[in-house]
Amino acid sequence: MTIQVTPLKQYLENIQVLAPDKTEKQVQELFKTIILENVDFNGNEEMLTYLSDKAPNFEKQHRSRNFIVEETETNNIIGFFS
């Protein structure tokens, strides 16, 4: 298995490129949907809430830097770190 690490800022920018008609808020909502539909973290709700709701805002406010860890072949999100 090969993994790649993508800064959250870049991940959000990639979503914006794929959906150029979306506003920043809509891109964040789309990101939240992607996370909640595709990531489980073994039922750890705090991690899901942080990544889907707080991380994008913290990133924007320069309060934290967040990184998405994906499996390269499938683009499945397998983790993140801040």
Side-chain angles (χ1 to χ4, degrees), residues 1-71:
M1 169 172 49
T2 306
I3 62 169
Q4 72 180 20
V5 176
T6 306
L8 178 57
K9 181 179 178 183
Q10 181 64 50
Y11 195 92
L12 293 170
E13 288 171 1
N14 292 345
I15 293 172
Q16 182 72 61
V17 167
L18 295 173
D21 59 323
K22 304 288 186 198
T23 65
E24 182 179 344
K25 182 160 179 63
Q26 290 171 321
V27 167
Q28 285 188 5
E29 285 300 315
L30 186 53
F31 172 73
K32 181 177 181 174
T33 300
I34 290 167
I35 296 304
L36 294 178
E37 289 180 357
N38 298 293
V39 179
D40 180 272
F41 295 135
N42 293 320
N44 187 326
E45 292 296 322
E46 288 179 18
M47 286 178 63
L48 283 171
T49 298
Y50 176 80
L51 183 57
S52 65
D53 292 329
K54 296 178 182 178
N57 290 325
F58 284 1
E59 189 83 29
K60 204 166 52 170
Q61 297 166 354
H62 304 287
R63 294 176 65 191
S64 69
R65 292 292 171 247
N66 304 277
F67 301 87
I68 304 292
V69 181
E70 297 175 281
E71 187 177 358

